[in-house]
Amino acid sequence: MSLTDEPKSRRPSLTDRVATVKKVEYLILEDRRITIHVIMHETGLSYGSVWKIIHNELHMSKVSARWVPRLMAPLQRETRLELSRQMLTLLKQDEEDFFGRLVTMDESWIYLHDPKTKEMSKERKHTTSPPPKKAKVQKSAGKVMLSVIWNCCGVILTDYLAKSQTITSAYYCTLLNKLRDALKKKRRGMLTKGVRLLADNAHSS
């Protein structure tokens, strides 16, 4: 019988641990969609070790991308930033005049048949009464694009896009002409004072 200690694996040093964590972080920053199995292959660590490093030490989690209307190019972001600064300057000069001259618009699809949602169909009942039943109905295939233009005093103009047409710069030019006529009738003196149109849509040129 031997009285000497048998060789055994030692607890990894703190320096090695820091280097391992940095390597895992580097792999993730290189590819944000990298899987734990790929990290295991690159580092030689177990699944549990990689999971603990990601969540307990790097404090990272995997999330889905958030949907946005559009992704702007760097030049578009700079332009929007500059326009926003100009709007803030005008607001600080005269808040009442700023909102009084501001006109904005938005579009939305209007379905020919838009059924009530499940939340809207809720009814009150006794605990012993059976719940109501409702057949599932889909939105109609037919729909029309509605454009609404308004200011702080209310709606100025509504316009429905003709069937089989698309929103183009020519459509916006026609819409601006309709807006001019509507302002003359519903907001007297506003054209003379000056209108600031706030619309993030197709260019009218």
Side-chain angles (χ1 to χ4, degrees), residues 33-93:
R33 297 182 180 180
I34 193 170
T35 63
I36 291 181
H37 291 285
V38 174
I39 298 176
M40 289 168 55
H41 176 75
E42 294 291 333
T43 60
L45 299 172
S46 65
Y47 186 96
S49 297
V50 174
W51 191 94
K52 288 179 181 177
I53 290 174
I54 293 174
H55 292 84
N56 298 341
E57 300 192 41
L58 296 178
H59 304 290
M60 288 183 171
S61 59
K62 204 168 188 179
V63 296
S64 301
R66 183 169 61 91
W67 289 108
V68 294
R70 64 172 66 91
L71 294 175
M72 294 185 294
L75 180 59
Q76 292 174 321
R77 288 197 294 267
E78 291 177 5
T79 303
R80 174 162 291 192
L81 178 61
E82 180 59 30
L83 292 175
S84 299
R85 286 172 175 168
Q86 292 178 13
M87 298 288 279
L88 285 174
T89 301
L90 293 172
L91 175 64
K92 292 177 181 179
Q93 290 176 355

Side-chain angles (χ1 to χ4, degrees), residues 114-123 134-135 137 139:
D114 192 359
K116 291 182 179 180
T117 63
K118 189 175 181 179
E119 186 71 22
M120 295 169 61
S121 302
K122 283 186 175 180
E123 300 178 6
K134 178 179 176 63
V137 183
K139 293 181 179 180

Side-chain angles (χ1 to χ4, degrees), residues 16 33 36 69 73 75 82 122 140 150 160 166 169 179 199-200 202:
D16 294 338
R33 297 182 180 180
I36 291 181
L75 180 59
E82 180 59 30
K122 283 186 175 180
S140 62
W150 73 94
Y160 294 92
T166 56
S169 58
L179 174 60
D200 182 19

Side-chain angles (χ1 to χ4, degrees), residues 18 48 85 90 109 130 141 144 165 180:
V18 172
R85 286 172 175 168
L90 293 172
W109 284 109
V144 63
Q165 289 188 3
R180 176 182 288 273

